[in-house]
Structure formats: C-alpha cells, structure tokens
Amino acid sequence: MGGTVSDLRQGEDFLRAALSELEAPSEEPITAAIWFPSIVPTPANDVQERVVLQVLAPFMLLEGIWLARVAQPATAHRLMEAKFFDIYCRMVGLSNQTQAPSLRYRAWLTICGLELPSLVDPGFFEDRRFPEFSLNLPLIHLCLMHRPRSFLPELLGYTLAHSAMDSNWWGTLRACRGEVWALERREFHREIQVLAMAALEASLPFADEATMRIRNGWNLYRQEFECLMRELNDWMRPIPTVSDVLSELVQMRRPYAIGYHRRVLLQGRSLDEWLRDSKQDPRPLLEALRASPYVNSQCPEASRLIRALEFGGPMFGVMNVEERELCLKWIEEPQKESDSASFFRQGMRTDRYGVEQSNRYSQSMRGNDEFQRGEGRTFSSLLPGKSMRSGRLSTSTFRRQLFTMLLGVESPADLPPAAIRTIEGVLLRSRWFSRLRPLDRRLRIYDPEIFHQFLDDLHRRETERYHPLKGTPRTDRNYCRWAILQLAPTILVDGCWLAGIATAAERLDRVRHTLLQIYADEIGSGDCEWNHPNVYRRLLDSLDIELPALVSREFAEDSRFLDASFDIPIYLLSMGWLSERYFPELLGLNLSIEMNGLGAGYMKMVDILSFHGIDPTIIRLHLSIDNLAVGHAARAAEAITVFLEEIRQQQGDAAMQAVWGRILVGYRSLNIAAIKLVLGLMIRV
Ligand SMILES: [Fe+2]
Ligand SMILES: [Fe+2]
C-alpha cells in the first residue's frame, strides 16, 4: 500500500470502498458531544476479556498513526495541520513517552499476560492471533496516513470521532481492570478533543462539500469501530472447545509435519496419510489419535504423545509450552471450553471490500522501506509533469518544477525519480570533496569523545570569530532584502529534511524520537506562531516581499529567485522523504544544519539586519534553539552517538565505522548543496 504505486492504489481503493459503503450519514452537526459505541464487547469470562485486548491490539497500538504525516513541508504551517500534529505528538508521547496511550496499552497487554509481537517486528500483521477483521480499522489508519492531503476533511472527521468516543466502554473489561484504563483515557480524550475541535474551527472556511466529507470521516470511524465490536462479539461465540483449538493447531502445522511420520501408524494408516487427508477437517485424525496407544487418558502425562514432546523425544521442540498444555487438556477433557487467550480461529478471517489485504499492512508500516531501498517502483506516472524528464526543458526550469513536485508529495511512493538522482548527485560530490579535503583528521575513525571535542572546538572557533558590528556594514539594506528573498525557498520548508521520521510510538526508537523532537520544534510544536517558516513569512511581510503560494508553480517560476535558490530545498525535501534509505547521511546532514545555526555568520547577520531595521527574529531563534548545550545541535549529535553505538553493539566496530563514513558524507553534503547559492549571494555583494 505504501511501498509501491500498486500498494498505494490498493490502499486508496480500500479507503474509497469503505467510504462508499457508509450508511447514510446523519445530518446532525458534529459537536464536542461524547458518543458511546452502541455495541460493547461482551466477553463471557476473563479469558475472553484478554482475547478482546488481543484482538484490539493492532487498532490500539497504531493509535494516532493516521496523523503521522499530516504536517508536511507544504502544509505544516497551517492551523489545522498544527493542531493535528499536536494530537499526534501526544499520541506518541513526544514530550513524555510514558504518556503515549499505545505504549501504555502495550504495558496493559503485558500485565494481562499477553505477549504479542512488536510493531517493529515485520511479522506483526501476519500474526495469526489477529483475525482479519481486526485489521480493517488499522488499515484505514494507515491509508489515511499515506493520503493526509487527499483525504484531509475525512481525516478531520475521523480524528474528531476518535477523540469524542466515550472511553467508559473499556470498563466492561472488569477482570482486566478496564475501569482503570477507562479513567486513564478520559483525560487524554478530553485533551485531544479540544485540539480536534480547534482543527474543526480552522476548517470552517471549507466549502459545503468538505463539510460532508468531514462527516463521512466521522461516520467512517464510528461505523468501522462498531463493526469491529460486532465482529469481535461474533468471533467470540461460541467459545471454542479444547478440541477446536487443537484442530486449528494441527491445521496450521500440517504442511510442515507431512513427511516425518511415515512409520507412525494409526488404524493401519501412516500418520503422514492422515495428515494429508486432514486439510479440510483434522477432527477424524484427532479421534483416531485419541483411540490409539499414543494417548493415555488415565494418566495424560504418561501418554506417548506427550512424552514424544519432551527432551530426547522425536517431537521435542515441535510445540511450545502452551501448546503442550493444550495437548494435555485435550487428553483430559477435549470438549471443555478453551481457556487459551491465543486461540486460533483462522476460519473466521474475512476479506471486506474485495481488496486483498494480507501482507499490505506491514508494507505500510515499514514506512516504504522497499521503495526507500530502491526496490519499489516510483509514483512518477501519477505526477503531473512526467514528461518533464524528456530533456526538452532546461535544467533550471526542471529544477524549479521539481521543487513544486516535491511539495506535492504526500507519501514517499509519490516521489519523482529525480529526487533520488538529486540526492545521489549531492552525495557523490560530497564524497569526492571529503576525499580531497577531509573535514578533520581526528574524525577519520569514530570515537565519541573526539567527535564531541570536534563539535566543541568548532563551536568555540565560530564564536571567537565573531566581532560585533562597528559602524556601517558593507552590505546595504537592499542587499539584505534581496538575500532574504533568495533564502525563502529554503526557510519556507524549514524542518523538511525530518518530515518522514514520524511513525507509530512503538517504532520511534531513541534516535528517531530525538529527530522527531527537532522536527516538532522546527514546525512549531502545534503552534503556528512558532512555526519557523511562519516566522520567515512574517519577516517577508515586514519587508513587503510578496510571494505566490509556496506550493504553486508561480512560486518556483518567480523570476526574482536565482535558480540556485532551489538547490538546498530540493535536496532537503528529497532527503526528508527518503529518510530511511539515507538514514546515516540524514543524521550527518541534520547535525550540519543545526551546527550551521550557531556560527559567527548568523551572529553577524543579526547585527547587520538590526542595523538596517530588519527584524532578525528568525536568526535569533536559530541561535538559541539550535544551541550545543541542550538544543538542536546537541540533540543532533546525541542521535549520532546513540545510533552508532547501536550499530556497534549489533554489527560490530567495522560496520559502525562504515556508517560513520556515511554520516560524515551527509555532514559535508549541506555545503555541497549550498555551493551555487553561496556563490550567487557573494557575487551580488
Ligand atoms: Fe529552524
Ligand atoms: Fe534547528
């Protein structure tokens, strides 16, 4: 769904089908009123309560994922997206991970003794303990995540419905202490509902059609949630017997068991033959086994079947402890209701909307890894200007159009191939340059102490280089105004190199969590006033520099810009969408950007701008927030040291040094990408 064009199209088809199947939407206005699901889970016993938790796990562990990509370089400055991003940050516990509801849900699962795979595990969505119906709602989460702009009104309605759901229904899970969970969530829902309502208010200028689409999003969430509850209740009835569960297990293992049991005879036939005939129904096999000498119902532990599972037995390692227990229970009392929370009910898998869903989820979650590794196809055919690559356009025209195309990207699969070519070109030059003029001899081999010493020295040299302005600066006001204009394409997408980091809380490791914190600061952490591109917009306004809308073609075609003004943003936007593919380089690039904000150059600029009566807020902001003590530069360095240490522990020193080399190339790449613009700015002085 996200890895390739066809995946993305299937995801969209699924989402559109779900929207088209909605029951007639009610005309009630969407308000802040809380809604209570009309269907609640009705587990018959505490074991089934745990089953409810298990089935809801994909939905709960992916809570908020639909908002992960909503604050994009083209949209993050807007009020609605800012509110959405704020909700997302709370959902992943950006300021305090212990508050992330999905991580708390994981803890609840653990307390209840439910061990389920992590979202980091590529096999998560193939886990047979999640019936297909339990994946419908999470799939909608993921589809919305990949299309946050195409389905923005629906996303709003969906978020509103999520925030307005009464958490008290969790209280039905008494044995699992659901009341405690309900209470915990109540405050959380209240907080995100305020933000969701603020997003709704921001959407008021929308046309009537959008109002209907917001309502559709609202109904989609509610109806899908209730559908999940209904299917869950159906799925739990009747409670399977021990024999049912063992039948499911036999069916699962059957393909791997055939061929090993030629000598085991049951009623004159080999067990292999029995297994071959059990594809549809393994119950006759189980009955024959029961009647055989392999089962001792008087003393189950003494059964040959059980003994075969023990150390030294022919079936040792074939079943885990829980499955061995199941066999014992089956020998004792096959018709007893199963008390296993991990029952296997594969026969109940459903496929709604006629879209093949299997294996799609993990592709979406991997954040388009396949595409990012370059194995996937690109989305270029769906982008306007595919023919741009024909060669008829001049390079500069194409580069400007590429800027607009990159701002139109909603998901990495949309990326034009030129994005990868841009990155590869910059990195190649960076590699050559690094060989010709190494950054610092001390950095040839990575050592965390030397690395930090290098940063401290660099910082000290930069601050020492600074001398406060005395008298009239060499550059006049007109030049400053012109330079501010030339930097607009770069600063109006400030933070974009980290736009692809956001994901589910459980997939945000320490390094990505740190990067996400930087990204949040760059785009204002939910407050449009603090959004760096908006700070720059205010500066442009104060200088009466009027520009077309950033995403429009007119912006990129504006003849007041140098061609070189688009070099840095094209590179940064491309890196932002391919962050997994170029992760080490991105770490280096990020450090370089954040260290750049601390230089003597920035301090001099503050003096010059102040001299000419131009507001230097955007530069002061970076001098403070990027600080090397605890600010962005410190975090960028920390992300590198943590990442390298992880590589060292997992893959060894040689692998770590190889990754370090890539980080250094990424570090140099900012200067490489900026060469033409720097020259252009210098020539004009
Ligand atoms: Fe910034
Ligand atoms: Fe920064």
Side-chain angles (χ1 to χ4, degrees):
M1 186 183 69
T4 64
V5 179
S6 63
D7 292 339
L8 200 62
R9 281 193 185 139
Q10 281 204 33
E12 281 194 59
D13 288 348
F14 180 84
L15 186 54
R16 286 187 203 287
L19 283 164
S20 70
E21 286 197 5
L22 287 176
E23 288 158 22
S26 75
E27 288 302 312
E28 286 170 43
I30 293 172
T31 64
I34 303 291
W35 63 277
F36 195 92
S38 61
I39 304 168
V40 293
T42 51
N45 51 37
D46 57 342
V47 172
Q48 285 208 340
E49 287 200 7
R50 288 164 63 218
V51 171
V52 172
L53 295 186
Q54 176 183 300
V55 169
L56 293 182
F59 162 68
M60 294 299 291
L61 295 174
L62 284 167
E63 186 171 0
I65 189 86
W66 62 90
L67 296 175
R69 300 255 175 86
V70 78
Q72 305 197 335
T75 60
H77 64 287
R78 303 193 307 210
L79 181 59
M80 195 186 339
E81 278 83 352
K83 296 298 164 198
F84 279 149
F85 186 73
D86 199 349
I87 296 175
Y88 166 75
C89 289
R90 286 161 200 257
M91 292 207 187
V92 297
L94 189 64
S95 55
N96 181 350
Q97 275 186 296
T98 64
Q99 298 305 314
S102 54
L103 298 182
R104 295 183 81 86
Y105 191 80
R106 171 67 74 183
W108 192 19
L109 290 173
T110 307
I111 289 167
C112 294
L114 283 162
E115 191 193 358
L116 295 171
S118 157
L119 278 175
V120 178
D121 184 339
F124 180 89
F125 293 100
E126 279 80 49
D127 195 288
R128 299 170 73 91
R129 285 166 292 180
F130 302 136
E132 194 83 1
F133 71 83
S134 71
L135 301 178
N136 286 327
L137 200 49
L139 181 57
I140 292 174
H141 291 355
L142 291 167
C143 292
L144 286 169
M145 173 186 86
H146 282 287
R147 283 286 171 250
R149 283 156 77 180
S150 308
F151 292 94
L152 186 62
E154 288 83 0
L155 194 80
L156 173 56
Y158 197 80
T159 309
L160 281 161
H162 175 77
S163 68
M165 190 172 77
D166 191 338
S167 56
N168 279 324
W169 71 273
W170 285 102
T172 50
L173 306 178
R174 289 185 193 288
C176 289
R177 294 169 61 81
E179 311 93 327
V180 179
W181 177 252
L183 207 65
E184 233 182 63
R185 286 197 63 101
R186 196 175 304 158
E187 188 50 36
F188 174 72
H189 275 266
R190 222 173 271 153
E191 279 177 21
I192 60 168
Q193 199 188 16
V194 171
L195 293 168
M197 289 306 287
L200 178 65
E201 256 173 56
S203 78
L204 287 181
F206 278 2
D208 281 353
E209 190 218 350
T211 310
M212 179 56 89
R213 290 179 58 189
I214 295 170
R215 198 185 301 284
N216 282 343
W218 167 277
N219 286 329
L220 178 66
Y221 185 90
R222 287 189 59 164
Q223 288 181 24
E224 284 295 330
F225 185 82
E226 295 196 336
C227 183
L228 172 62
M229 289 300 113
R230 190 166 43 246
E231 295 200 51
L232 171 61
N233 282 339
D234 289 349
W235 190 70
M236 289 192 294
R237 303 283 179 274
I239 300 172
T241 63
V242 172
S243 182
D244 291 336
V245 177
L246 189 61
S247 296
E248 293 280 359
L249 183 64
V250 170
Q251 257 178 331
M252 272 169 60
R253 298 285 161 79
R254 201 188 61 87
Y256 311 101
I258 295 172
Y260 293 94
H261 302 92
R262 232 169 294 168
R263 294 203 188 155
V264 180
L265 295 177
L266 288 180
Q267 298 179 358
R269 294 170 66 207
S270 79
L271 183 51
D272 273 353
E273 286 175 64
W274 280 98
L275 286 166
R276 257 185 220 109
D277 294 345
S278 297
K279 191 171 182 186
Q280 300 305 328
D281 185 6
R283 278 175 300 187
L285 161 62
L286 289 181
E287 278 164 30
L289 188 61
R290 249 195 113 63
S292 75
Y294 291 94
V295 167
N296 180 347
S297 49
Q298 301 302 315
C299 182
E301 287 279 0
S303 297
R304 283 168 67 185
L305 170 67
I306 300 298
R307 291 213 315 267
L309 294 169
E310 281 156 14
F311 183 72
M315 285 170 72
F316 177 69
V318 169
M319 290 190 180
N320 64 27
V321 177
E322 198 185 351
E323 290 160 356
R324 183 183 174 275
E325 278 298 302
L326 178 69
C327 291
L328 276 172
K329 282 175 187 160
W330 172 73
I331 295 169
E332 281 164 13
E333 216 175 335
Q335 293 315 315
K336 196 179 170 194
E337 285 182 353
S338 166
D339 61 358
S340 165
S342 321
F343 28 93
F344 308 92
R345 302 284 303 273
Q346 300 312 300
M348 298 301 290
R349 289 202 157 207
T350 54
D351 181 10
R352 294 174 56 208
Y353 310 125
V355 176
E356 191 197 327
Q357 297 164 30
S358 302
N359 304 324
R360 294 289 168 213
Y361 312 96
S362 44
Q363 289 184 22
S364 315
M365 272 307 301
R366 284 200 299 270
N368 311 306
D369 289 354
E370 277 174 31
F371 176 79
Q372 299 221 5
R373 283 197 305 270
E375 292 160 16
R377 294 184 299 278
T378 65
F379 208 20
S380 57
S381 58
L382 299 184
L383 276 172
K386 183 190 170 200
S387 59
M388 286 173 190
R389 298 175 57 226
S390 65
R392 285 201 193 142
L393 292 172
S394 70
T395 311
S396 66
T397 309
F398 174 65
R399 300 276 299 164
R400 285 174 180 247
Q401 292 189 353
L402 180 58
F403 176 79
T404 312
M405 287 161 75
L406 288 169
L407 285 173
V409 167
E410 264 188 279
S411 190
D414 301 348
L415 269 182
I420 296 177
R421 288 204 304 271
T422 297
I423 294 175
E424 291 291 343
V426 173
L427 294 180
L428 183 71
R429 276 174 276 146
S430 179
R431 243 172 261 130
W432 275 107
F433 193 68
S434 300
R435 264 178 225 152
L436 284 172
R437 262 192 83 188
L439 188 60
D440 188 310
R441 280 211 174 149
R442 290 176 297 170
L443 297 178
R444 224 161 39 86
I445 304 287
Y446 174 71
D447 178 301
E449 265 181 47
I450 293 174
F451 172 51
H452 281 105
Q453 192 57 54
F454 162 77
L455 294 178
D456 289 343
D457 292 350
L458 185 67
H459 185 233
R460 202 191 55 251
R461 274 202 310 273
E462 276 294 314
T463 44
E464 284 171 1
R465 208 161 60 84
Y466 169 68
H467 300 292
L469 178 70
K470 285 180 192 148
T472 308
R474 262 178 61 211
T475 48
D476 63 12
R477 193 174 195 278
N478 267 346
Y479 175 82
C480 291
R481 192 175 177 277
W482 176 80
I484 286 168
L485 171 72
Q486 299 310 322
L487 289 171
T490 301
I491 315 287
L492 289 177
V493 295
D494 198 11
C496 69
W497 64 95
L498 298 174
I501 296 295
T503 182
E506 202 164 79
R507 291 174 60 93
L508 280 174
D509 55 19
R510 191 171 150 205
V511 175
R512 286 167 181 81
H513 189 94
T514 304
L515 296 180
L516 188 61
Q517 283 175 324
I518 298 176
Y519 182 62
D521 282 345
E522 299 290 346
I523 62 169
S525 298
D527 190 327
C528 288
E529 288 278 307
W530 298 355
N531 174 279
H532 293 189
N534 281 347
V535 174
Y536 207 72
R537 281 187 176 88
R538 290 199 288 278
L539 172 63
L540 293 169
D541 285 348
S542 72
L543 293 170
D544 294 323
I545 299 176
E546 275 183 42
L547 288 171
L550 181 69
V551 292
S552 67
R553 271 177 50 194
E554 289 74 23
F555 182 94
E557 286 170 3
D558 197 309
S559 58
R560 289 172 291 172
F561 290 127
L562 297 171
D563 288 340
S565 293
F566 294 94
D567 287 355
I568 305 174
I570 286 174
Y571 176 55
L572 299 187
L573 284 163
S574 304
M575 281 296 267
W577 283 119
L578 291 165
S579 50
E580 287 302 315
R581 182 167 173 166
Y582 295 102
F583 197 68
E585 288 85 358
L586 179 75
L587 287 171
L589 171 67
N590 182 50
L591 178 66
S592 177
I593 293 170
E594 303 303 351
M595 287 297 288
N596 216 42
L598 302 176
Y602 269 48
M603 291 193 269
K604 280 180 193 161
M605 255 191 266
V606 171
D607 289 351
I608 296 169
L609 294 183
S610 302
F611 179 88
H612 292 306
I614 298 172
D615 179 11
T617 303
I618 186 74
I619 299 168
R620 281 219 178 101
L621 174 68
H622 284 96
L623 281 169
S624 62
I625 204 167
D626 292 346
N627 75 78
L628 190 55
V630 290
H632 291 181
R635 287 185 189 162
E638 182 200 322
I640 290 174
T641 48
V642 172
F643 183 68
L644 287 173
E645 182 54 23
E646 279 172 6
I647 300 276
R648 192 188 64 78
Q649 285 179 18
Q650 289 161 12
Q651 298 169 41
D653 201 59
M656 180 190 74
Q657 297 298 348
V659 169
W660 170 240
R662 290 180 60 187
I663 291 174
L664 286 179
V665 168
Y667 185 89
R668 290 308 276 284
S669 70
L670 179 66
N671 287 343
I672 300 293
I675 283 175
K676 279 194 204 156
L677 179 61
V678 171
L679 284 174
L681 291 173
M682 280 166 59
I683 289 167
R684 175 80 185 254
V685 173

